Amino acid sequence: MAPYRRKRSVNAAELLSCRNRGIHDAGTLMRHSMKVLRGILLQENRTFFKVWSKTSKSQIMYENGKIYFENYQKCYSCVHAEPQRLYKLPQRSKQEKIEDALLCQSPLDKTLPSPADHKSSLLALTANNWLYRLSAETGKELQRVYLSPNYKFRYLGWDVSQEIFYVKSVQKKETPLARQAGFIQNTVMHLAIFNVFPLQIVGILEINKKAFGNGVTDVVLSQGVLAVSYSNKSVKLYSFEHIVQKYLTEKLTLGKQSALLGNKTVGDAPFGIPLNIQITDSPPVLFEVSCSNNGVQIGGYPWHYIYTPPHKRHKGTHHICSLKDSTMATNGIQNMNCCSLESDGIFFHPDDSGRIIHVGPTTINVLKILGELKSALPSKVVEDFSMSTQRNEQAPQVTVTSSGRTVKRRFHQLDDDPCQETFRMVEYEDELDLLAVVITNGKEGEGKAHIRLHDNQSGKLQRRVDLVEPWDETYRHEVFFDKDTIVHIEQKNTSFCCHVYKLKTTRK
């Protein structure tokens, strides 16, 4: 029998000493460092102070410690005590405007062909169909690929689990004149799919009516699955791996010649990348479901999916079913029964625990799925923990005046009324294992917001952070919690503003 070992707490100085002596491996060091940071962050003599604000006439983006202004032309780093400008890109023409961008960081467990492949980079898609890989630290061009002279590409998307990303074209619409002439538009859109570590082309495929049917409204690639949404409120899932294996006509390499281009170089202008995944028949459907707003989410252990049936009587409900046989889980219909302007939100927890987060205006439920993969019994949805707002009692619907006259209120107060404490969003900080919950309250006439930090495992409240600037609920807001930094991006009429908070020691 192994001897009993008492679990003792280790202070920050001891952990840092072990790190300097090289006692721990990289993974252990990272976990210990984050444990130290979490401990510091939750100390009573530490709090978040607003250190920086900046406005812009164009949308502001935040990603992994970097703030982007003027359509990715200017980049600021949040690593320092105050954000500092990393770089400014040269002025671009309208044809070279950046349409979309993704920040990409290479995995630490892989050896890549070039040292430059290990550096963080920004993947930028321009209006003239160029895909650039820029250094995330300097903005220097590392690589460029010309996509196509034939298709207008507009959007970028990640399939993180497969370490691939895709570039999506604009949708081709049938014009009334073409319909009148009897011309049928078969092509809907195109996807260009790339491996990202290192950057390499998988292929370009065409989404058309012959292969996928009529009424296609959108296509996304996620977890190795091609998800196709239809105008009849249905979603069909296809195996991307099967599509590549069956319909790939030529394996392409960037910078090498291709027979499909008449031996021209792949990725060079003006030829670009040829259509090398040609779907000639209907691929097998892995899964199909009819749902409101084409919204279906897949996750959990064992695999489940969340959707809202496209019928009026199911409005406001979320159904949790087994992906194996579509069996409804016990307690699988979740309904907040809220009366609000904005609907409640539900999603699988980003911590890969298989749990579900259900966010309403007054309540946040963290749910877990209990079930066995090979069991004949349906799985069960149970509450892991719950969070609630602090609200005053609502005024009664019927009141009696001093004269004895009965007065009846003509309307109910909404659950997300700006004058009451209301949950607005939830952000998960994976490295600190904390949930950041944004709450607004306008009871004093001016909208205010604060952030509650909760332990991700128990839901226990750890601390509260007040946001200094007013919160106008009529405009769009984004809040990011990233280790020792909180970023609040808000829209103000036609302009945007970014506020940055940093963790500091409070003065006694």
Side-chain angles (χ1 to χ4, degrees):
M1 181 176 173
Y4 171 74
R5 180 177 294 175
R6 182 171 64 89
K7 186 177 180 181
R8 67 186 184 91
S9 60
V10 182
N11 64 34
E14 190 173 342
L15 287 173
L16 293 171
S17 174
C18 289
R19 185 175 72 178
N20 288 336
R21 286 180 282 157
I23 292 175
H24 301 302
D25 60 32
T28 306
L29 282 174
M30 184 65 177
R31 286 191 295 273
H32 280 321
S33 297
M34 290 301 107
K35 188 177 179 181
V36 169
L37 179 57
R38 175 175 163 139
I40 293 172
L41 186 144
L42 299 178
Q43 287 176 357
E44 290 185 3
N45 66 334
R46 310 273 179 166
T47 192
F48 284 89
F49 289 93
K50 186 173 177 178
V51 298
W52 191 79
S53 288
K54 184 175 173 60
T55 58
S56 174
K57 291 183 179 179
S58 58
Q59 194 171 345
I60 304 169
M61 273 72 67
Y62 175 84
E63 183 72 38
N64 199 35
K66 294 179 175 62
I67 308 171
Y68 296 95
F69 290 86
E70 297 179 16
N71 200 35
Y72 297 97
Q73 294 295 109
K74 291 181 181 178
C75 176
Y76 288 77
S77 171
C78 290
V79 173
H80 310 282
E82 290 186 18
Q84 295 183 7
R85 195 168 85 179
L86 282 179
Y87 61 82
K88 179 183 178 182
L89 297 177
Q91 193 67 33
R92 292 174 175 267
S93 66
K94 190 176 180 180
Q95 290 76 24
E96 297 174 310
K97 175 192 170 188
I98 295 176
E99 298 278 12
D100 204 355
L102 294 173
L103 188 65
C104 131
Q105 292 180 300
S106 67
L108 299 175
D109 59 342
K110 284 189 177 181
T111 302
L112 301 177
S114 166
D117 294 331
H118 286 280
K119 294 180 180 179
S120 298
S121 58
L122 185 74
L123 300 168
L125 172 67
T126 61
N128 56 356
N129 272 0
W130 279 94
L131 179 70
Y132 289 90
R133 191 165 70 89
L134 308 175
S135 167
E137 303 303 322
T138 65
K140 180 183 176 182
E141 182 184 313
L142 303 175
Q143 194 174 355
R144 68 161 76 181
V145 178
Y146 184 64
L147 296 175
S148 173
N150 304 315
Y151 324 124
K152 173 59 180 170
F153 287 99
R154 179 70 57 82
Y155 313 101
L156 293 172
W158 272 120
D159 185 354
V160 177
S161 64
Q162 306 298 309
E163 293 186 356
I164 63 177
F165 72 95
Y166 60 95
V167 194
K168 185 163 59 175
S169 74
V170 295
Q171 194 168 336
K172 292 196 172 184
K173 304 280 188 180
E174 271 186 3
T175 63
L177 194 62
R179 280 197 299 269
Q180 195 175 13
F183 177 76
I184 299 174
Q185 176 66 260
N186 182 50
T187 303
V188 180
M189 65 180 74
H190 291 84
L191 293 182
I193 300 97
F194 291 83
N195 288 316
V196 73
F197 306 120
L199 183 65
Q200 194 51 258
I201 182 66
V202 176
I204 290 184
L205 68 88
E206 179 183 272
I207 305 297
N208 57 53
K209 296 175 184 177
K210 181 181 177 182
F212 296 97
N214 293 320
V216 174
T217 57
D218 196 15
V219 176
V220 296
L221 193 58
S222 177
Q223 297 177 327
V225 169
L226 194 70
V228 183
S229 301
Y230 292 85
S231 56
N232 64 357
K233 296 186 177 180
S234 68
V235 176
K236 294 180 182 179
L237 305 185
Y238 302 86
S239 167
F240 180 66
E241 183 183 7
H242 170 82
I243 289 172
V244 172
Q245 287 178 350
K246 185 174 180 181
Y247 302 109
L248 185 72
T249 58
E250 182 185 342
K251 191 172 182 179
L252 303 174
T253 303
L254 294 175
K256 299 291 179 69
Q257 293 181 341
S258 166
L260 293 172
L261 289 175
N263 293 326
K264 300 295 190 301
T265 303
V266 176
D268 280 3
F271 310 104
I273 302 168
L275 185 72
N276 67 323
I277 304 174
Q278 299 182 8
I279 303 176
T280 54
D281 54 15
S282 298
V285 178
L286 297 177
F287 174 78
E288 181 178 359
V289 64
S290 293
C291 50
S292 177
N293 299 322
N294 297 115
V296 60
Q297 301 177 65
I298 297 175
Y301 304 111
W303 289 102
H304 282 68
Y305 64 95
I306 305 171
Y307 79 108
T308 299
H311 309 293
K312 277 189 177 181
R313 68 178 184 274
H314 295 300
K315 188 178 180 181
T317 67
H318 305 279
H319 294 226
I320 304 169
C321 302
S322 167
L323 188 63
K324 180 177 69 173
D325 53 14
S326 295
T327 302
M328 173 82 71
T330 303
N331 195 33
I333 299 179
Q334 296 293 313
N335 188 356
M336 285 282 185
N337 290 314
C338 52
C339 177
S340 56
L341 290 175
E342 293 188 17
S343 59
D344 55 317
I346 192 167
F347 52 92
F348 285 102
H349 200 310
D351 69 352
D352 292 331
S353 63
R355 293 181 297 174
I356 296 168
I357 299 179
H358 190 185
V359 184
T362 62
T363 306
I364 296 175
N365 293 326
V366 177
L367 312 168
K368 57 184 178 181
I369 300 171
L370 303 179
E372 299 294 332
L373 190 62
K374 296 182 180 179
S375 174
L377 297 173
S379 52
K380 187 177 182 180
V381 177
V382 298
E383 183 183 292
D384 195 13
F385 60 85
S386 182
M387 295 174 266
S388 300
T389 56
Q390 296 176 349
R391 290 203 164 189
N392 301 323
E393 289 186 17
Q394 288 194 13
Q397 289 299 113
V398 178
T399 56
V400 180
T401 65
S402 57
S403 63
R405 187 167 59 94
T406 301
V407 179
K408 188 175 182 180
R409 293 180 69 196
R410 304 182 73 177
F411 60 89
H412 291 270
Q413 188 176 37
L414 293 173
D415 289 328
D416 59 352
D417 191 295
C419 296
Q420 293 267 36
E421 263 203 1
T422 304
F423 288 128
R424 294 299 176 186
M425 60 187 78
V426 178
E427 176 83 1
Y428 174 57
E429 216 305 329
D430 58 340
E431 292 174 306
L432 301 179
D433 203 29
L434 290 172
L435 289 170
V437 181
V438 180
I439 300 172
T440 60
N441 193 343
K443 64 183 179 181
E444 296 176 359
E446 184 179 51
K448 286 290 185 181
H450 66 270
I451 299 171
R452 289 188 350 200
L453 301 182
H454 292 259
D455 178 74
N456 181 47
Q457 303 304 321
S458 66
K460 184 179 178 182
L461 177 63
Q462 303 296 305
R463 76 172 310 155
R464 167 180 166 146
V465 180
D466 291 317
L467 298 185
V468 178
E469 62 278 358
W471 183 290
D472 189 340
E473 195 49 47
T474 57
Y475 293 111
R476 182 170 169 264
H477 296 262
E478 289 182 291
V479 174
F480 304 92
F481 174 40
D482 195 350
K483 296 188 280 292
D484 66 337
T485 306
I486 292 174
V487 178
H488 173 209
I489 298 174
E490 61 174 338
Q491 184 179 354
K492 286 185 173 181
N493 295 318
T494 57
S495 63
F496 299 84
C497 190
C498 177
H499 311 277
V500 177
Y501 294 74
K502 298 292 286 189
L503 186 68
K504 291 188 175 184
T505 306
T506 56
R507 294 179 180 177
K508 293 184 179 181

